[in-house]
Amino acid sequence: MKANVKSSPLEKSVQQPTITGADRGPRPAGVPALELETLQDTEEEHFAIIPKDAAGKIVPGDLTGLSMSWGSPASTQTQQCFATEMKDSAVVSALDKGESLQLSYRVQTQRSPLSSHKPNLDSSHFSCKITAQTNYNQSNTVRPNSKMRDAAELTEDRKLQAVIEQVMVDQLSRAVISDPEQNAVSVSPTSVPLRYRRTLHHTKVKTRMSLTENILSNKLCFQARILSRCGHEACRKLIGFFFTCDQTLTVYEYRNFGKNRWNALPFITRGVYLNGGRPYCLQDIYQGAELRFCTDGPHLPQSLRQQPCLTLRVTDVDDTAKRALVTQSGETLHRLSEEEISDQNTLKEIQGAVRDRLKGHAVRTLINLGRDLQTLHLKSDWIQQKELLRRSLMEQLCLTQQDFEAVWRIVSRRAEGRVHPADVMRAVTGEMSENRKAVFLKVYVKLDPNKTGSIFLSDTEKFYRGKQESDAALKADLNPDFLAFVREAGKITKTVSYAEFEDYYEGLSIEIPDDEEYINNLRATWSI
C-alpha cells in the first residue's frame, strides 16, 4: 500500500511549466528525431550495429548509419578515426606490452560487445606498431645518458668559471706596497742600515709590474693533466692560464674537499718558464702539447718533488680565444728547427712500425712492459735502468739497438737530461688521443672516486657490464679478457693499480683504430 505524500506549497511554487516541442522551435535538418518513448530502464546497454561484409570483417567505410544525437552526422574523418581505434585496440592486445595495456584491453572487451568480432589484423600495421614501441623504448634508454652528459658539461663549466674567479682574486689581491719591485736596490735589503730601509714615503704608488683586471683579462685558458703512472697524480684536475701582457704562466688545481666543498689552489706559481732556452709563448700551447717544469715549486706535493721533471699534457684549449690573442698581440708564428722536425719524424716512424707489430697482441704486450717498468723503479742507478729498459723493449717490441738509442737521445734532449723510463716507453709505443684519454679517466675516477691510485677488484666486478671489448680486437689466445686480467693482477692484493689499468686500455686503443668505436665501447662497458 503506497502512502499518499502531499507536496508542499513550496514545491508547487518551484515547479516549472511543461515545454512542448512547438516551444523549442523547428528541428534542424539532418538531425534525427528524439523518440523518448523508446527509452526504458534495462540492465543491458544498446550499442550501434557495426556493418560487416560476407567474410565477417568490419567495413570501416560503411558507417553512415552511425549518427550522434542532436548533432551532425558523423563525417568521413570521424568514421576513419573510429575504425582506426577499433584496429588499435586489437593490436595493443596482441602486443602484450605491460600489465597496464593488458588491463585496459580487458576493461574494453568487457564493456564492448564488439570484442567477439575479431577484426583482421594488418601485418604492416602490426609491424609498424612494434617498431614504434621499440623506438620509444630506445629513446627512453638514450635520453638519461644525454641528460647526464649535459649535467656533466654544466658542472665542468662551473668548475672552470670558479677557477677563473679564484685566479683573478689571487693575482689582484697583492697590494702594490708588497710588490717585490719596491725593494729593488743594488744591494741586499738586509745589508742596508736601518735608517736607510724603505719607508712609506719611499714607496711607489704604482710599480711597473702592477696589474689591473683589464690587463689580466688578456689570458688564454687551457686544461692539462700530469703525465704519470700514479693514479693519484694522473687524475689531478689542472687548469692553466697564459697571460699575454708579460708572457707569464700559472696552473691551478681544482680540488674537492668532501661532497659540497671545493677550492682552486695554486699548483704552479705564476712566472716566466723556459722551453728549450726560450720563454713559453702562445704557439706552444695547443692540444697534445707537453709543458715541462722543474719540481722545486713551493706548491707541488712531495711525491712530485722527488721526480726529476714535471711534465703536463695540454688536453683542451680555447682555440677561438687563442686566435684572437695571437692577432691582438701580433705574435709571430714560431717555426720548428730542423732538428725538432727530424726528431718528430723519427718518433712517428718508430711508433708506426711498433704499433703495426703489436696488432693482435697489444694488450698482453703492454701489460708485460708495464710490469717490467715496476721493477725498474727499484734500481737507483740510471745506467742500470737504461740497460734493463733496452733489453725489455728489444725483447717485447723487437726494437733494434739503433732505434732505442735514437728514442733515448730525443727524450733526453726534450727533458734536458732528466730521463724517466716511462717517458721512453711512451715515446716508443705512443699514446691514445686526448679524446680517448678523457673518457678513460672518467672510467677510472668512477672506479676510484677517492683517487687513491688503485681499484678494488670487487668494484671492477660490480661496475663491469660483462660486454666483450670488440670481436675484431680481442682474441682469446693473445689478448686477455678484462675480468680475467684484473683477477690475475689482483690475485694477491685484491686491487688493480692505475698503471695496470692504463696499460690494458692503451693496448686496446692500439687494437681499435676508430675513436668513436673506442669511446662508445668504454661508455657501454662502464655506463658513463
Side-chain angles (χ1 to χ4, degrees):
M1 181 177 180
K2 296 183 181 180
N4 296 327
V5 181
K6 296 183 179 179
S7 59
S8 62
L10 180 61
E11 292 179 354
K12 293 182 179 179
S13 62
V14 299
Q15 288 180 355
Q16 298 294 334
T18 305
I19 300 175
T20 61
D23 298 332
R24 294 193 188 98
R27 177 168 53 86
V31 177
L34 182 61
E35 300 176 357
L36 298 178
E37 61 274 7
T38 58
L39 299 179
Q40 57 182 350
D41 295 334
T42 59
E43 298 295 333
E44 298 180 357
E45 297 181 0
H46 295 271
F47 292 88
I49 300 176
I50 306 298
K52 299 184 295 182
D53 57 6
K57 300 180 181 179
I58 297 176
V59 183
D62 192 10
L63 297 176
T64 55
L66 294 178
S67 60
M68 293 173 286
S69 178
W70 290 102
S72 60
S75 62
T76 306
Q77 183 178 2
T78 307
Q79 299 168 7
Q80 293 177 356
C81 293
F82 183 80
T84 305
E85 290 177 359
M86 294 301 299
K87 277 191 174 183
D88 291 344
S89 62
V91 172
V92 168
S93 64
L95 288 175
D96 194 17
K97 296 290 185 178
E99 297 179 357
S100 60
L101 295 179
Q102 293 179 356
L103 180 60
S104 63
Y105 177 71
R106 293 194 194 101
V107 174
Q108 186 175 3
T109 52
Q110 290 175 2
R111 294 185 58 186
S112 174
L114 296 176
S115 59
S116 59
H117 306 289
K118 297 182 180 180
N120 186 19
L121 295 179
D122 189 2
S123 59
S124 61
H125 186 73
F126 184 80
S127 61
C128 180
K129 292 284 288 185
I130 294 179
T131 304
Q133 182 72 16
T134 305
N135 294 337
Y136 176 75
N137 293 335
Q138 291 178 354
S139 63
N140 282 347
T141 56
V142 173
R143 196 172 302 163
N145 292 334
S146 62
K147 290 183 179 179
M148 291 174 59
R149 294 176 188 177
D150 294 341
E153 292 177 358
L154 181 60
T155 303
E156 292 298 326
D157 293 340
R158 290 178 178 176
K159 289 180 181 179
L160 179 60
Q161 187 64 29
V163 174
I164 292 176
E165 293 177 359
Q166 186 64 40
V167 170
M168 299 296 289
V169 170
D170 291 347
Q171 299 302 323
L172 296 174
S173 61
R174 187 178 66 181
V176 179
I177 195 173
S178 61
D179 196 317
E181 189 179 346
Q182 299 281 6
N183 295 326
V185 292
S186 58
V187 294
S188 176
T190 57
S191 62
V192 179
L194 182 61
R195 60 180 179 176
Y196 295 109
R197 299 273 178 91
R198 179 172 64 89
T199 60
L200 182 61
H201 300 285
H202 299 92
T203 302
K204 298 179 181 180
V205 177
K206 182 179 180 181
T207 61
R208 182 177 56 87
M209 297 298 294
S210 60
L211 300 174
T212 62
E213 186 175 358
N214 187 25
I215 295 177
L216 292 179
S217 62
N218 297 324
K219 61 183 180 298
L220 176 64
C221 179
F222 61 92
Q223 300 186 28
R225 61 181 178 89
I226 301 176
L227 293 183
S228 175
R229 290 179 62 82
C230 174
H232 181 68
E233 309 298 343
C235 293
R236 291 182 182 270
K237 181 71 175 179
L238 302 181
I239 301 176
F241 300 89
F242 182 84
F243 300 94
T244 59
C245 59
D246 51 4
Q247 304 294 305
T248 55
L249 183 73
T250 182
V251 178
Y252 273 65
E253 179 185 5
Y254 185 91
R255 297 184 61 182
N256 289 330
F257 299 92
K259 293 183 178 180
N260 301 322
R261 186 187 170 199
W262 62 269
N263 200 357
L265 303 177
F267 191 75
I268 295 179
T269 308
R270 180 168 171 260
V272 179
Y273 296 93
L274 302 179
N275 177 28
R278 61 174 182 82
Y280 279 109
C281 61
L282 285 173
Q283 304 294 338
D284 297 326
I285 302 175
Y286 55 89
Q287 187 179 28
E290 294 184 0
L291 308 178
R292 294 178 175 83
F293 304 91
C294 296
T295 55
D296 55 354
H299 303 294
L300 294 180
Q302 189 64 30
S303 58
L304 291 177
R305 294 185 183 182
Q306 299 175 358
Q307 302 297 329
C309 178
L310 174 64
T311 305
L312 302 185
R313 174 70 57 79
V314 179
T315 59
D316 191 17
V317 181
D318 189 356
D319 293 329
T320 304
K322 180 180 177 180
R323 287 192 296 267
L325 290 174
V326 170
T327 304
Q328 180 182 357
S329 62
E331 181 178 316
T332 58
L333 180 62
H334 172 68
R335 299 185 181 277
L336 299 177
S337 62
E338 295 182 359
E339 186 179 19
E340 292 175 338
I341 296 176
S342 176
D343 292 345
Q344 289 184 356
N345 295 333
T346 302
L347 287 181
K348 287 182 180 179
E349 183 179 356
I350 294 175
Q351 289 177 5
V354 169
R355 295 170 79 89
D356 289 340
R357 289 196 296 266
L358 287 177
K359 290 290 185 179
H361 55 91
V363 176
R364 175 65 67 184
T365 303
L366 291 187
I367 290 174
N368 295 333
L369 280 175
R371 292 170 180 171
D372 292 342
L373 280 179
Q374 292 179 356
T375 60
L376 291 179
H377 291 298
L378 303 178
K379 308 295 181 181
S380 58
D381 189 2
W382 71 271
I383 299 178
Q384 191 176 5
Q385 286 184 355
K386 179 180 178 180
E387 181 62 23
L388 293 176
L389 180 62
R390 182 186 64 81
R391 293 179 183 178
S392 177
L393 293 178
M394 293 179 64
E395 179 183 354
Q396 299 286 346
L397 304 178
C398 301
L399 196 68
T400 63
Q401 176 74 20
Q402 182 181 1
D403 290 342
F404 175 79
E405 293 296 337
V407 173
W408 184 275
R409 183 181 65 256
I410 294 173
V411 174
S412 178
R413 185 186 301 115
R414 290 180 175 180
E416 299 179 356
R418 295 165 291 188
V419 181
H420 195 278
D423 297 335
V424 178
M425 191 190 79
R426 194 180 297 113
V428 172
T429 60
E431 286 186 280
M432 67 176 73
S433 63
E434 290 304 318
N435 294 333
R436 298 188 182 196
K437 199 72 174 185
V439 181
F440 166 79
L441 290 177
K442 288 183 180 180
V443 171
Y444 181 80
V445 172
K446 179 179 181 178
L447 300 176
D448 184 18
N450 296 326
K451 301 177 183 179
T452 60
S454 60
I455 306 171
F456 287 103
L457 185 60
S458 58
D459 290 337
T460 59
E461 295 176 346
K462 173 183 177 182
F463 291 105
Y464 186 70
R465 293 304 179 188
K467 184 178 180 180
Q468 298 295 328
E469 266 62 24
S470 177
D471 296 337
L474 294 182
K475 298 180 180 179
D477 57 337
L478 297 178
N479 288 322
D481 179 67
F482 178 79
L483 290 181
F485 155 70
V486 296
R487 287 166 182 165
E488 179 186 358
K491 182 168 51 178
I492 299 176
T493 60
K494 302 300 180 182
T495 58
V496 180
S497 65
Y498 170 82
E500 294 173 326
F501 194 76
E502 183 185 36
D503 291 337
Y504 182 91
Y505 278 102
E506 283 286 356
L508 186 64
S509 179
I510 296 176
E511 301 288 359
I512 304 177
D514 185 60
D515 285 351
E516 185 177 359
E517 180 183 357
Y518 182 85
I519 292 174
N520 291 338
N521 187 289
L522 279 177
R523 293 188 182 278
T525 304
W526 299 101
S527 299
I528 60 173

